[in-house]
Amino acid sequence: MFEVLVTGGAGYIGSHTCVSLLDAGFSVVIADDLSNSKFEAISRIRSITGNKVTFYPYDVTDEIELEKIFTRHSIRCVVHFAGKKAVGESVEMPLEYYRTNLLSTISLTRVMKRHNVKNIVFSSSATVYGNSKKVPYSETAPTGNCTNPYAWTKWMNERILTDVHRSDPDWSVILLRYFNPVGAHPSGQIGEDPLGIPNNLFPYVTQVAVGKLDRLPIFGSDYPTKDGTGVRDFIHVMDLAEGHVSAVRKCIQDYGVHAINLGSGKGYSVLEVLHAFEEATGKEIPHYFCPRREGDVAVSYASTKKAAQELRWRAQRDLREMCQDAWNWQKLNPLGY
Ligand code: UD1
């Protein structure tokens, strides 16, 4: 079987995707400079799958290093996760975000082109829909109007890859727009391990549950939603990972550019998540209400029709399973990796 290169394969979504690709029988090569992840994630991928996945601690913006990988391996498809991902940080240091997130895609596609590898699955985000108000978000909804540099880098990378395909129709590009990935592998061996105080809801909740943080701040209680708190489309990270396996299969058989949402299609409010977590784990989550967080939208959830049609994929796991698996990971790894 040919090889799939996963950039950023030691990260949260990347590591789960590597496990799913290996489970599906693909050979996987990982490139990750470990700037926001740990080598331990690679060891755990190996221990879950029993597979000797090849790992390169390379910076994906560096063409010379990428050349070595493409020379040594017969890569047929690339799943490109490597990049910076913290919204707030991107506002503070935009140049770092534009440099890393755009240059990695440019270097990667230049090297791919030299080696005649023209299949790429890109890790995009529902954030490209910006302030678009109409839910569910369908892939034909307008994009742009982003509220921070991180979001713009996703949007610009979609643009770059679309233009690469325009210049050479042999390219097969799949842009996966994630909603809110949460949870962990059921073994509890890999999961989300944010540095410092988490920005996202689920890791915050699990760190309160484990006693690392005191209380959950709830950003906004006056949204026009069922209980006043924000509504999001939470998707189990293993469902998301399996969506990538389907995307790789499509990518290698197909040509063109396809933007596809990966979400569950259901919206849950912050309070609903809190209660589901308490029920699934038996842990109480102390919380308090505070003003809305800048840049947040009231409601976001996916139209899942295109993923069902084009990828023959649908999210299977419910909110309870997301809570149980997130908690299992946190309990087994209270300090992360
Ligand atoms: C955020 C990013 C998004 C990114 C995604 C990656 C913003 C504005 N958006 O999405 O671009 O692709 O993460 O996973 O940062 N909440 C609380 N208390 C908390 C944390 C969150 O109430 O401590 C609320 C938020 O206000 C929101 C919901 O929980 O209503 C989900 O927040 P979060 O997990 O940060 O995800 P998004 O903001 O949807």
Side-chain angles (χ1 to χ4, degrees):
M1 171 87 77
F2 56 81
E3 293 166 288
V4 177
L5 171 64
V6 180
T7 74
Y12 174 44
I13 305 172
S15 57
H16 289 81
T17 297
C18 288
V19 168
S20 290
L21 284 168
L22 291 160
D23 283 348
F26 288 96
S27 291
V28 171
V29 176
I30 297 175
D32 193 314
D33 67 359
L34 304 178
S35 54
N36 191 26
S37 56
K38 308 253 172 66
F39 178 75
E40 183 61 19
I42 305 290
S43 306
R44 307 246 181 128
I45 294 169
R46 289 176 174 153
S47 106
I48 292 170
T49 60
N51 192 297
K52 292 195 208 65
V53 50
T54 313
F55 169 67
Y56 294 95
Y58 291 173
D59 175 347
V60 179
T61 63
D62 186 335
E63 287 189 33
I64 295 166
E65 297 204 313
L66 287 173
E67 273 292 339
K68 293 185 207 157
I69 299 180
F70 281 81
T71 305
R72 272 183 218 153
H73 297 271
S74 45
I75 305 294
R76 173 94 176 271
C77 182
V78 178
V79 186
H80 178 34
F81 291 103
K84 293 176 153 295
K85 62 171 187 182
V87 174
E89 188 184 63
S90 79
V91 178
E92 314 276 304
M93 31 203 296
L95 289 175
E96 279 307 300
Y97 272 69
Y98 288 116
R99 196 192 75 82
T100 305
N101 291 7
L102 300 186
L103 200 54
S104 60
T105 303
I106 293 167
S107 302
L108 184 61
T109 43
R110 278 166 54 88
V111 176
M112 287 173 71
K113 198 172 161 199
R114 285 202 286 274
H115 290 263
N116 206 30
V117 179
K118 297 180 179 176
N119 300 318
I120 184 163
V121 175
F122 175 65
S123 170
S124 190
S125 166
T127 197
V128 299
Y129 295 119
N131 284 327
S132 175
K133 294 226 160 53
K134 224 175 106 229
V135 284
Y137 293 143
S138 93
E139 290 83 350
T140 52
T143 61
N145 237 326
C146 299
T147 52
N148 56 76
Y150 157 77
W152 279 117
T153 67
K154 292 294 179 191
W155 187 87
M156 289 176 190
N157 272 320
E158 288 201 358
R159 186 71 253 158
I160 291 170
L161 292 170
T162 303
D163 287 339
V164 167
H165 169 264
R166 252 193 214 163
S167 73
D168 175 358
D170 281 351
W171 277 81
S172 174
V173 174
I174 300 192
L175 310 168
L176 296 178
R177 295 177 178 160
Y178 312 147
F179 282 70
N180 291 59
V182 299
H185 189 268
S187 66
Q189 287 204 59
I190 53 173
E192 189 168 11
D193 183 21
L195 278 179
I197 296 182
N199 299 308
N200 299 117
L201 179 64
F202 257 73
Y204 209 109
V205 168
T206 57
Q207 292 197 13
V208 171
V210 84
K212 241 174 117 176
L213 295 167
D214 292 340
R215 292 185 304 159
L216 171 77
I218 296 182
F219 302 135
S221 53
D222 57 351
Y223 282 110
T225 58
K226 43 195 149 188
D227 56 24
T229 63
V231 168
R232 292 291 182 278
D233 181 330
F234 298 96
I235 172 170
H236 196 295
V237 68
M238 288 310 298
D239 278 326
L240 195 77
E242 287 160 12
H244 287 74
V245 176
S246 304
V248 167
R249 289 202 177 107
K250 180 181 171 67
C251 190
I252 56 184
Q253 286 165 8
D254 207 357
Y255 300 101
V257 181
H258 304 274
I260 303 177
N261 290 337
L262 292 185
S264 71
K266 295 192 189 80
Y268 288 104
S269 75
V270 173
L271 280 176
E272 281 175 327
V273 167
L274 198 75
H275 296 140
F277 187 87
E278 291 180 332
E279 210 165 280
T281 64
K283 298 293 289 188
E284 205 188 313
I285 305 299
H287 56 274
Y288 62 103
F289 291 96
C290 39
R292 294 179 181 191
R293 183 173 67 180
E294 209 187 306
D296 274 357
V297 294
V299 181
S300 161
Y301 58 92
S303 159
T304 57
K305 270 194 214 136
K306 194 170 176 189
Q309 276 164 7
E310 303 269 335
L311 301 180
R312 298 177 196 291
W313 167 92
R314 204 178 272 287
Q316 309 283 341
R317 297 154 176 94
D318 62 12
L319 185 59
R320 186 180 176 84
E321 203 168 340
M322 300 178 210
C323 293
Q324 281 169 339
D325 288 337
W327 177 227
N328 186 41
W329 150 256
Q330 185 75 69
K331 237 181 355 188
L332 293 173
N333 307 272
L335 302 174
Y337 285 113

